[in-house]
Amino acid sequence: MTNKVSNDQTLRLGFRLPGQLRNLQWQATPRLAPADDEVEVEIKATGLNFRDIMYTLGLLSDEAVENGFVGPTLGLEFAGVVTRTGSEVTVFKPGDQVVGLGPASFSNRVLTKANALAAIPGHIGYAAAATIPSTFFTVYYALHYQARLQPGEKILIHGAAGGVGIAAIQIARWLGAEIYATVGSDEKRDFLRLMGIEHIHDSRSLSFAEEILLKTEHRGVDVVLNSLAGEAINRNFQVLKPFGRFLELGKRDFYENTHIGLRPFRNNISYFGIDADQLMQERPELTRQLLAT
């Protein structure tokens, strides 16, 4: 299909009506020149995220997609080759192999800000590189920048067998933390055991809180990386030590305005809403620093 598209067109995956995956279609749009601070990249691989599926099925509110860096588009991470740069861009040139984040990256090319890109190390291929930005950027920002996770601290990672969870395990190990994890199936528990995780609990049961408190002599954990909704949030507060850090990845409770009491915060607990998409939109310089690191 790409052979039928002229060089002055950009081919993007999109849909006219949300609700079903069969509504997906390729849409040709005029090729635009990069703005002064933008880079045009010929895409070699694109990462598929749960956000893309939810957006296609109409399960994300307008509020959830309109205020972020990638906006109401499909695809947010990619790897490829720089083809053109804006007048203010000095760190990249045509021919550079890059990995990064940008809107509508299910496409043959993408325009994105230069601060949302990083060079691909020579030993990493395009497909592998395209899996890095969303998960590792989010986790590095959450665990290292916000939570300041320290060697010897305990961290509870929910949904630990997913993309973000696997990245969190790797970064938590790199930072020297002790890992507690939840997953929702026997297959995922087996997978975590193969990764060497010892403390594995059921994400579909609220018993994880009591089990972790029992294992830790009722001390709990220092950091929670949360993706569960509803009553699980209160159970997470139960397992947080004084001066613990709660990192919220899920969006459902935000948009449903779920209420939590202030009582847990008497123990100097910190609560962080983690949204890498909004971070890129509001803090471009911090985005550049974190992505480069």
Side-chain angles (χ1 to χ4, degrees):
M1 188 170 186
T2 54
N3 293 332
K4 300 178 182 179
V5 179
S6 65
N7 196 44
D8 61 352
Q9 286 185 319
T10 295
L11 195 67
R12 294 177 175 174
L13 189 64
F15 54 84
R16 288 191 172 88
L17 293 172
Q20 297 183 25
L21 294 178
R22 67 181 181 182
N23 292 339
L24 290 169
Q25 57 186 231
W26 293 106
Q27 301 166 346
T29 61
R31 183 181 184 181
L32 301 176
D36 292 343
D37 60 347
E38 287 184 334
V39 175
E40 181 189 72
V41 179
E42 178 189 349
I43 293 179
K44 300 294 187 181
T46 297
L48 174 65
N49 286 272
F50 192 50
R51 176 194 185 277
D52 300 314
I53 298 171
M54 292 185 68
Y55 179 51
T56 303
L57 297 178
L59 299 177
L60 288 179
S61 66
D62 292 341
E63 183 183 13
V65 296
E66 288 178 347
N67 297 325
F69 180 70
V70 300
T73 67
L74 285 174
L76 58 88
E77 61 182 341
F78 59 88
V81 179
V82 173
T83 47
R84 294 189 293 176
T85 61
S87 60
E88 296 177 359
V89 177
T90 59
V91 293
F92 300 109
K93 64 184 185 303
D96 286 348
Q97 296 180 336
V98 294
V99 58
L101 300 129
S105 61
F106 279 104
S107 177
N108 59 333
R109 64 175 65 93
V110 67
L111 287 175
T112 191
K113 301 292 185 184
N115 56 32
L117 294 172
I120 299 177
H123 63 285
I124 298 180
Y126 290 117
T131 70
I132 293 173
S134 177
T135 53
F136 282 90
F137 175 73
T138 297
V139 171
Y140 184 78
Y141 167 66
L143 299 192
H144 185 64
Y145 183 83
Q146 292 287 42
R148 300 288 197 270
L149 184 64
Q150 300 297 308
E153 288 192 318
K154 294 179 173 62
I155 179 172
L156 170 57
I157 301 170
H158 287 295
V164 170
I166 295 170
I169 287 172
Q170 294 181 57
I171 289 182
R173 280 177 166 163
W174 170 62
L175 294 172
E178 182 181 351
I179 297 169
Y180 292 75
T182 70
V183 288
S185 71
D186 290 336
E187 291 82 2
K188 291 177 180 178
R189 278 185 277 277
D190 291 340
F191 175 70
L192 290 190
R193 290 188 187 99
L194 290 174
M195 293 184 68
I197 304 300
E198 296 180 8
H199 307 298
I200 304 173
H201 304 270
D202 187 0
S203 62
R204 298 182 181 180
S205 168
L206 297 176
S207 63
F208 69 84
E210 290 79 6
E211 293 168 359
I212 291 173
L213 286 172
L214 190 62
K215 282 185 177 180
T216 59
E217 298 179 346
H218 293 279
R219 287 288 294 161
V221 300
D222 301 279
V223 175
V224 171
L225 185 64
N226 184 58
S227 55
L228 305 181
E231 178 57 28
I233 290 180
N234 292 322
R235 300 302 174 98
N236 282 323
F237 280 122
Q238 290 177 16
V239 301
L240 265 181
K241 291 180 180 179
F243 295 92
R245 287 86 79 200
F246 190 115
L247 304 165
E248 180 58 77
L249 291 172
K251 303 295 185 290
R252 189 176 118 191
D253 288 298
F254 289 157
Y255 297 118
E256 292 181 359
N257 197 26
T258 299
H259 289 270
I260 57 175
L262 288 175
R263 185 172 177 80
F265 295 91
R266 75 194 186 282
N267 289 326
N268 289 280
I269 286 172
S270 300
Y271 185 103
F272 298 95
I274 305 297
D275 187 339
D277 191 26
Q278 198 172 68
L279 172 68
M280 291 184 289
Q281 177 77 3
E282 300 293 333
R283 302 284 301 276
E285 181 56 28
L286 177 59
T287 296
R288 185 195 65 77
Q289 294 173 13
L290 295 174
L291 191 59
T293 304

